[in-house]
């Protein structure tokens, strides 16, 4: 029997495309990371986050604009230190016609810029929650927060300012808004002046336009009721 012996050619002979390094991987060698492949996912993540952030900002601005429709009073409340639980509790105590929103000053100002609400600019500092009152009954809208503030001992979380009928009211002027006459009081004032001397009627007519309109509406309603009962 003949035996055939195979042997590898020596390095001094012809060069062959055969390498132990190419055929055997060293398990102790960790390949270097490819930086170009790692940067791409990070770049995409940053772009996505930026787009989401921009979308949220646009939604907040749009929400503020929607709340300004049929709004009679927009006021800021110092929000720093309030917990989420307190915020939710406060919301539940407000009238249905009053909405409370937490938004950055820059976004709120973007929504009110160029409008009559721009007078609220002095409030654009610190952390604010924004109170949107969609009713002429201003005192009734502010009273729940005053009660909440007193109950929770939140003296530092006061009104930072507000705009009513295009005029800015600072923290020291809020008592004026809280003491505005109610609709029922205005009706009583009008009906009383119509039965009294002419000077009383003139005094009522010289009152702010809002009061005069409400007074006239009440008088018309009274006449209609009296006419229907005859």
């Amino acid at each position: 029997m003949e035996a055939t012996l195979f042997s590898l050619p020596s390095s001094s002979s012809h060069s062959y495309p055969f390498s132990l390094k190419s055929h055997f991987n060293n398990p102790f060698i960790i390949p270097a990371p490819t930086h170009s492949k790692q940067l791409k996912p990070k770049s995409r993540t940053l772009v996505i986050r930026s787009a989401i952030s921009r979308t949220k900002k646009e939604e907040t601005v749009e929400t503020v604009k929607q709340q300004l429709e049929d709004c009679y009073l927009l006021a800021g409340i110092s929000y720093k230190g309030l917990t989420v639980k307190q915020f939710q509790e406060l919301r539940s105590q407000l009238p249905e016609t009053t909405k409370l929103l937490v938004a950055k000053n820059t976004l709120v100002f973007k929504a009110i810029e160029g409008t009559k609400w721009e007078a609220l600019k002095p409030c654009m500092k610190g952390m604010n929650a924004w109170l949107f009152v969609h009713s002429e009954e201003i005192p009734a809208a502010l009273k729940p927060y005053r009660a909440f503030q007193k109950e929770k001992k939140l003296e530092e979380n006061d009104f930072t300012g507000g705009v009513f009928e295009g005029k800015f009211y600072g923290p020291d002027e809020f008592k004026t808004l809280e003491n505005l006459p109610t609709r029922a009081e205005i009706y009583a004032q009008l009906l009383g002046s119509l039965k009294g001397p002419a000077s009383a009627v003139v005094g009522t007519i010289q009152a702010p336009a809002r009061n005069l309109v409400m007074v006239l509406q009440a008088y018309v309603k009274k006449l209609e009721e009296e006419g229907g009962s005859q």
Side-chain angles (χ1 to χ4, degrees):
M1 178 182 295
E2 295 184 358
T4 304
L5 179 64
F6 291 91
S7 62
L8 292 173
S10 64
S11 59
S12 60
S13 60
H14 299 286
S15 176
Y16 290 85
F18 182 90
S19 171
L20 291 176
K21 185 176 180 180
S22 63
H23 282 268
F24 298 92
N25 293 326
N26 189 336
F28 298 100
I29 297 178
I30 301 175
T34 305
H35 295 289
S36 60
K37 292 183 179 179
Q38 290 183 346
L39 288 176
K40 290 182 179 180
K42 289 183 179 179
S43 178
R44 283 197 293 269
T45 302
L46 290 174
V47 171
I48 292 173
R49 287 179 179 175
S50 177
I52 293 175
S53 177
R54 184 172 61 254
T55 300
K56 287 184 177 180
K57 289 179 180 179
E58 291 173 352
E59 290 176 350
T60 300
V61 172
E62 187 60 30
T63 298
V64 173
K65 288 182 178 180
Q66 290 175 358
Q67 288 297 324
L68 290 176
E69 296 178 4
D70 300 323
C71 185
Y72 289 88
L73 169 69
L74 172 57
I77 299 174
S78 178
Y79 181 62
K80 186 177 181 179
L82 285 176
T83 65
V84 175
K85 184 178 180 181
Q86 288 175 327
F87 184 76
Q88 293 174 341
E89 184 179 349
L90 173 59
R91 265 184 168 174
S92 66
Q93 295 178 13
L94 295 174
E96 292 184 1
T97 54
T98 303
K99 303 299 179 184
L100 191 62
L101 174 68
V102 174
K104 291 184 177 180
N105 298 332
T106 53
L107 300 179
V108 173
F109 187 73
K110 186 176 181 180
I112 66 176
E113 192 172 11
T115 71
K116 65 179 181 180
W117 304 104
E118 191 174 355
L120 198 65
K121 189 175 181 179
C123 292
M124 300 299 157
K125 54 186 177 180
M127 297 175 63
N128 287 291
W130 305 98
L131 195 71
F132 298 82
V133 180
H134 300 97
S135 168
E136 291 182 332
E137 300 295 341
I138 304 301
L142 299 178
K143 187 176 180 179
Y145 181 72
R146 282 301 189 201
F148 180 83
Q149 183 187 32
K150 184 177 180 180
E151 178 188 352
K152 304 297 181 181
K153 298 179 180 180
L154 301 171
E155 290 81 8
E156 295 183 359
N157 296 93
D158 203 356
F159 289 103
T160 58
V163 172
F164 175 65
E165 294 185 339
K167 179 183 175 181
F168 177 77
Y169 291 80
D172 56 339
E173 300 175 298
F174 246 76
K175 288 296 181 182
T176 302
L177 296 174
E178 295 176 76
N179 294 326
L180 285 174
T182 64
R183 184 185 295 268
E185 290 171 344
I186 294 175
Y187 286 172
Q189 180 183 356
L190 172 63
L191 295 176
S193 65
L194 291 175
K195 295 179 180 179
S199 59
V201 178
V202 172
T204 302
I205 293 176
Q206 291 177 343
R210 167 178 168 270
N211 293 0
L212 179 59
V213 170
M214 294 179 66
V215 165
L216 293 176
Q217 288 177 342
Y219 184 60
V220 170
K221 183 178 180 181
K222 180 176 181 294
L223 293 178
E224 290 176 347
E225 291 175 351
E226 290 178 350
S229 60
Q230 292 177 356

